[in-house]
Amino acid sequence: MEKKILPILMIFILGALSFSVVKAEDPYKFYTWTVTYGSASPLGVPQQVILINGQFPGPRLDVVTNDNIILNLINKLDQPFLLTWNGIKQRKNSWQDGVLGTNCPIPPNSNFTYKFQPKDQIGGYTYFPSTAMHKAAGGFGAINVYARPRIPVPYATPAADFSLLIGDWYKSNHKGLQQYLDSGKSLTFPDGILVNGQTGNTFTGDQGKTYMFRVSNVGLLTSFNFRIQGHKMKLVECEGSNVVQNLYDSLDVHVGQSVSVLVTLDQAPKDYYIVASTRFTPKILTSVSVLHYTGSQTPVSVPIPAGPTDQVDWSMQQARTFRWNLTSNAARPNPQGSFHYGTITPTKTMVLSNSANVINGKKRYTVNGVSYINADTPLKLADYFNIPGVYSTNTIQASPNGAAPRLATSVMEASLHDFLEIVFQNNEDTVQSWHLDGYDFWPVGFGSGQWSEASRKSYNLVDALTRHTVQVYPKSWSVIYVSLDNQGMWNLRSAMWERQYLGQQFYLRVYNPVKSLANEYDIPSNVLLCGRAAGRHI
């Protein structure tokens, strides 16, 4: 009898375990997005814009951390197209990053299915086109990654959640802007600022309730200051980091950055201005929206609240107040207790100096004297198929060397698990904004003038937040620490799209010679092949 019971019991146990494994898999969410041209008049002049499923801006992507996203993107434009997922780290999966160094662009009348997870990320992010100057025509949208029920966040659930995609805008067609840059000229000053594709919007709430405003700079060139008339803003999250919850009258948001604030409607029930205005620009552009209290019959009243304009020191000091909430239990890139960034000695220091140059008679932007040019084959595919000559690893140096400006498909190599100190040195008169795909990093220091080793004395090595985009003020420096725990080919670029397009970028090849799925996923079965990789077999 016992001999019969034991096999049955084992089958039952194995079946139960199999069921639990299936049940343990993270949820799947499926999307189909079609990219087309359309017509809109965001600044009062009809112009061609890029729509996703007929929407400008594109659909808001609301997901829960660790969801598996299966998104089929159909390109109905007349040009190749890609989307990149700004701030989504693509753990072990640079194949899904959606930039030209990792992906073949989707040809017209074709499609590609992205498959990725916002792994252990909670917060507000964005997506946008990474090809050509498509970002100047739209195609961008919000990504909101919410906590699973068993992961607490350090604030009460707001009554509603508003996404504000704010950025500078041109009346010119994106192809015209691209031709202008290709001719060797810089873009002119933007024509206006849009909020969610319009010059202004209305956001409605009930008196006494608290609302979340997720504010992202999706523009091409300019930083902006954001404020709400008569209301304090409690900063609670910044690009996936829960932060010390300070109150602000206004906040600077630089190109490519995102912040989330809680606003309690604790004023008299009427309408109030929501204002975004450009920073560090010779001419101030302003966009005005409305915060409407439910039932209000009282319209907004002047004056429109003024914001800072040229005050660099004010902005730098505010940036230093953004600090990590170390008591928070929400998902974070460095789970509390595993290590502390401030106790680690960097394995390497990189000093990256941006500059504007003329190369072959045309305007170009450089990093350490090298202006990036896109290859005919994604660098990631060149690595996979061992195709030589696609990119160079000995052109760009880890610090400026005074060499003449030059063009190259530049890649800097690093080892998996290196811990880098990256200095962004800005000797120009304009504010810069830098983004690193595949990672969160710690902005540990901001300062004026030239960075030196003595500057390390001013670093915040205790509670710097993590984020994916950092500003560098005019004639100043910013320093980040980053733990290279994500193998792949990762784009380090100016978030200011003219500069990115004209060469202010390169790729960081984070590599381990031992091939392992523990370090990096295999090439996708649906990968697009182009350039010198066309016709090859995976």
Side-chain angles (χ1 to χ4, degrees):
M1 184 69 177
E2 283 185 27
K3 292 181 180 178
K4 292 183 179 179
I5 291 175
L6 282 174
I8 294 172
L9 184 60
M10 289 299 296
I11 291 170
F12 176 80
I13 291 171
L14 289 172
L17 285 172
S18 299
F19 179 77
S20 67
V21 169
V22 171
K23 293 293 285 183
E25 188 174 12
D26 293 313
Y28 281 76
K29 291 187 176 178
F30 298 87
Y31 303 88
T32 298
W33 286 2
T34 302
V35 182
T36 61
Y37 288 125
S39 181
S41 304
L43 293 178
V45 177
Q47 63 182 121
Q48 185 185 69
V49 297
I50 290 176
L51 308 175
I52 298 180
N53 288 357
Q55 299 179 43
F56 170 72
R60 192 170 101 171
L61 194 60
D62 286 335
V63 300
V64 174
T65 180
N66 292 19
D67 280 351
N68 290 285
I69 310 304
I70 311 297
L71 192 148
N72 182 28
L73 189 69
I74 303 169
N75 178 20
K76 291 294 185 180
L77 304 184
D78 57 356
Q79 295 180 320
F81 185 82
L82 280 174
L83 285 180
T84 190
W85 316 94
N86 200 45
I88 302 300
K89 290 186 288 184
Q90 307 292 1
R91 297 289 304 166
K92 304 189 295 183
N93 202 15
S94 63
W95 300 107
Q96 305 294 332
D97 199 29
V99 291
L100 290 173
T102 58
N103 295 82
C104 295
I106 306 167
N109 297 311
S110 298
N111 74 297
F112 176 73
T113 300
Y114 291 91
K115 301 174 183 178
F116 63 91
Q117 272 187 303
K119 183 72 173 174
D120 294 331
Q121 293 187 262
I122 298 169
Y125 306 91
T126 58
Y127 62 86
F128 62 84
S130 65
T131 39
M133 288 296 290
H134 292 137
K135 188 181 180 185
F140 48 75
I143 307 173
N144 293 338
V145 183
Y146 296 96
R148 290 172 287 177
R150 58 186 174 274
I151 300 178
V153 291
Y155 47 83
T157 302
D161 194 316
F162 302 119
S163 293
L164 284 73
L165 303 172
I166 305 176
D168 50 27
W169 190 258
Y170 288 85
K171 296 177 183 178
S172 302
N173 181 280
H174 70 94
K175 293 181 181 178
L177 294 176
Q178 182 176 342
Q179 290 172 357
Y180 201 72
L181 292 176
D182 289 342
S183 71
K185 301 174 183 177
S186 294
L187 295 181
T188 58
F189 193 68
D191 295 308
I193 295 181
L194 301 185
V195 179
N196 293 346
Q198 304 177 62
T199 53
N201 289 259
T202 297
F203 301 90
T204 300
D206 299 333
Q207 187 181 33
K209 293 184 178 180
T210 298
Y211 296 84
M212 177 170 280
F213 288 79
R214 300 181 186 267
V215 182
S216 297
N217 189 330
V218 294
L220 299 177
L221 296 174
T222 52
S223 305
F224 65 78
N225 180 268
F226 179 80
R227 51 205 181 269
I228 301 178
Q229 184 182 31
H231 292 74
K232 296 284 188 180
M233 299 181 294
K234 181 185 289 186
L235 183 66
V236 295
E237 179 263 331
C238 177
E239 296 166 18
S241 283
N242 292 326
V243 297
V244 174
Q245 296 180 5
N246 296 320
L247 294 173
Y248 297 89
D249 293 315
S250 71
L251 286 166
D252 281 352
V253 186
H254 304 277
V255 180
Q257 293 184 342
S258 298
V259 298
S260 297
V261 297
L262 292 178
V263 179
T264 300
L265 275 56
D266 55 5
Q267 301 299 303
K270 61 176 188 177
D271 291 356
Y272 297 87
Y273 287 115
I274 299 175
V275 186
S277 58
T278 56
R279 291 284 268 126
F280 320 115
T281 54
K283 176 184 175 183
I284 305 301
L285 297 175
T286 300
S287 175
V288 178
S289 296
V290 173
L291 174 60
H292 173 73
Y293 277 56
T294 303
S296 165
Q297 300 298 317
T298 307
V300 288
S301 57
V302 293
I304 296 173
T309 54
D310 294 326
Q311 298 92 329
V312 171
D313 290 343
W314 183 96
S315 185
M316 189 181 294
Q317 186 56 41
Q318 182 182 85
R320 293 189 180 114
T321 68
F322 293 4
R323 293 175 177 266
W324 215 357
N325 183 348
L326 298 180
T327 64
S328 169
N329 290 320
R332 57 177 65 193
N334 168 24
Q336 194 160 340
S338 60
F339 67 86
H340 190 282
Y341 74 95
T343 64
I344 299 174
T345 301
T347 55
K348 185 177 183 180
T349 296
M350 295 164 50
V351 180
L352 305 179
S353 179
N354 56 266
S355 60
N357 301 95
V358 175
I359 303 176
N360 299 331
K362 293 185 178 181
K363 182 72 169 284
R364 297 289 301 188
Y365 295 99
T366 64
V367 185
N368 289 355
V370 181
S371 186
Y372 184 88
I373 51 175
N374 287 307
D376 61 0
T377 306
L379 318 185
K380 191 67 183 163
L381 290 179
D383 259 5
Y384 181 83
F385 290 113
N386 295 314
I387 303 172
V390 172
Y391 62 83
S392 169
T393 59
N394 57 13
T395 304
I396 189 168
Q397 304 301 312
S399 60
N401 61 4
R406 57 207 179 280
L407 303 174
T409 305
S410 46
V411 172
M412 197 174 292
E413 293 194 294
S415 297
L416 185 65
H417 301 306
D418 275 352
F419 192 84
L420 299 187
E421 175 187 40
I422 302 180
V423 180
F424 296 102
Q425 180 66 54
N426 178 17
N427 297 323
E428 299 183 67
D429 291 323
T430 58
V431 67
Q432 305 293 315
S433 190
W434 287 90
H435 171 86
L436 175 60
D437 281 350
Y439 289 94
D440 287 326
F441 51 68
W442 292 269
V444 295
F446 303 91
S448 300
Q450 292 290 314
W451 177 86
S452 69
E453 292 185 3
S455 303
R456 292 176 178 142
K457 296 176 182 178
S458 67
Y459 289 2
N460 175 7
L461 300 181
V462 178
D463 59 356
L465 78 163
T466 60
R467 65 187 317 171
H468 56 68
T469 303
V470 65
Q471 71 275 20
V472 193
Y473 295 100
K475 303 290 186 181
S476 300
W477 53 266
S478 297
V479 174
I480 65 171
Y481 279 0
V482 58
S483 175
L484 299 186
D485 60 355
N486 193 13
Q487 184 164 315
M489 186 75 73
W490 301 109
N491 191 216
L492 179 57
R493 63 175 177 266
S494 172
M496 304 165 82
W497 212 244
E498 172 187 344
R499 287 178 167 268
Q500 181 276 156
Y501 182 78
L502 292 181
Q504 197 167 296
Q505 60 169 312
F506 65 92
Y507 281 80
L508 192 64
R509 182 177 184 257
V510 181
Y511 184 68
N512 185 328
V514 179
K515 187 174 181 179
S516 169
L517 291 178
N519 294 334
E520 187 171 23
Y521 297 146
D522 276 338
I523 188 170
S525 60
N526 67 329
V527 66
L528 299 177
L529 300 177
C530 58
R532 284 176 258 180
R536 299 189 181 233
H537 300 284
I538 61 172

